[in-house]
Amino acid sequence: MSYSAGSYVCNHFYYQMLHRATATRVLFVHLPLLPEQLKPGVSAFALPLTRQVECVRRVLMVCVG
């Protein structure tokens, strides 16, 4: 179930990649906003770019082995 256009786009992209994949495994990693992307007064989860890069590196290391 999608509650926003953003969720719909992410879900659609992921399922399209699953459908078109020639490999047996597909991974989609959704990254949060950067703190500087938040509008003033809006409370939402955000991570600095350095932390996001670190997380993506860890995910890739686990996937590659």
Side-chain angles (χ1 to χ4, degrees):
M1 181 175 290
S2 177
Y3 295 106
S4 71
S7 295
Y8 171 80
V9 171
C10 292
N11 291 340
H12 180 73
F13 178 78
Y14 178 62
Y15 288 114
Q16 286 297 312
M17 292 300 99
L18 285 173
H19 177 71
R20 296 166 193 246
T22 56
T24 57
R25 295 181 183 175
V26 174
L27 176 68
F28 177 80
V29 177
H30 187 254
L31 299 171
L33 292 173
L34 299 170
E36 56 268 24
Q37 291 178 297
L38 293 177
K39 294 180 181 178
V42 173
S43 177
F45 184 75
L47 281 178
L49 181 60
T50 54
R51 178 74 181 174
Q52 291 191 38
V53 169
E54 177 187 332
C55 292
V56 170
R57 282 188 178 141
R58 287 184 184 194
V59 167
L60 291 174
M61 292 303 293
V62 168
C63 290
V64 173

